[in-house]
Amino acid sequence: MRKQTVIIDTGCANVSSVRFAVERLGYQATLSRDPDVVLGADKLFLPGVGTASEAMKNLTERGLVDLVKQVEQPLLGICLGMQMLGTYSDEGDSPVECLGHIPAPTKLMDTAGQPLPHMGWNRVATVNDHPLFDGIVAGSHFYFVHSYAMPVGDYTLAQCHYGHAFSAAINQGNYYGVQFHPERSGKVGARLIQNFLEM
């Protein structure tokens, strides 16, 4: 029986690229914000690009905040989608309340003088042996575009260093997140998406 994969329709610009990445692996992906479809999925993706304030506004207007909180199946937040899983984001004139599934804030990166945004390929070091990184060589390069990040903590699956270390991948219960863009990270990104779909 083929698993049902759903990309939550957040209205963000990287929805199509995530869908194409899933379909290239031979899976069908449904784009939806319908509660029955979302809650009936086997695996969920929460994509996001742009600012935290605009993204949370979109989620609220689309009735997705409460819906995401009901999710019990594995959900993978990508880039801003990962940041929205945290407690709040400093990206804005005042802190933006987020979904609160990961006990961590998102803050402007301390890059030790390196330019922002952090954009391009960078090494990712896994913190523990986790199925999300199965078959991916330690220190593999993934593609990043961001200026804000979560600190390293107990929820961190992998970290990256750009001036200082930050969380590159996180997990708390059924909620997962990656700060990089796996859909733009070539073979290693495709492997990570496949690992998530097959977990």
Side-chain angles (χ1 to χ4, degrees), residues 107 185 193 198:
K107 294 182 172 290
S185 295
I193 291 173
E198 295 180 355

Side-chain angles (χ1 to χ4, degrees), residues 137-183:
V137 176
S140 291
H141 287 77
F142 289 84
Y143 188 81
F144 292 85
V145 183
H146 64 120
S147 297
Y148 291 77
M150 285 185 183
V152 173
D154 292 341
Y155 46 83
T156 302
L157 294 180
Q159 64 184 37
C160 182
H161 196 276
Y162 187 70
H164 292 87
F166 63 89
S167 289
I170 57 173
N171 170 231
Q172 182 81 8
N174 60 306
Y175 293 95
Y176 297 82
V178 289
Q179 182 59 66
F180 49 81
H181 285 273
E183 77 280 9

Side-chain angles (χ1 to χ4, degrees), residues 61-158:
E61 290 177 348
R62 290 168 178 249
L64 293 172
V65 172
D66 290 337
L67 180 60
V68 172
K69 289 181 179 179
Q70 297 176 51
V71 166
E72 296 181 352
Q73 62 271 59
L75 176 149
L76 180 67
I78 296 175
C79 194
L80 181 59
M82 165 177 151
Q83 296 177 7
M84 288 190 290
L85 295 176
T87 52
Y88 69 88
S89 173
D90 276 345
E91 188 177 9
D93 296 332
S94 58
V96 177
E97 183 179 355
C98 295
L99 297 169
H101 299 298
I102 305 294
T106 296
K107 294 182 172 290
L108 184 67
M109 297 174 71
D110 180 357
T111 65
Q114 297 187 76
L116 283 176
H118 171 216
M119 182 167 63
W121 298 85
N122 205 342
R123 292 181 184 274
V124 170
T126 53
V127 174
N128 55 36
D129 186 19
H130 192 278
L132 192 63
F133 287 89
D134 182 54
I136 296 173
V137 176
S140 291
H141 287 77
F142 289 84
Y143 188 81
F144 292 85
V145 183
H146 64 120
S147 297
Y148 291 77
M150 285 185 183
V152 173
D154 292 341
Y155 46 83
T156 302
L157 294 180

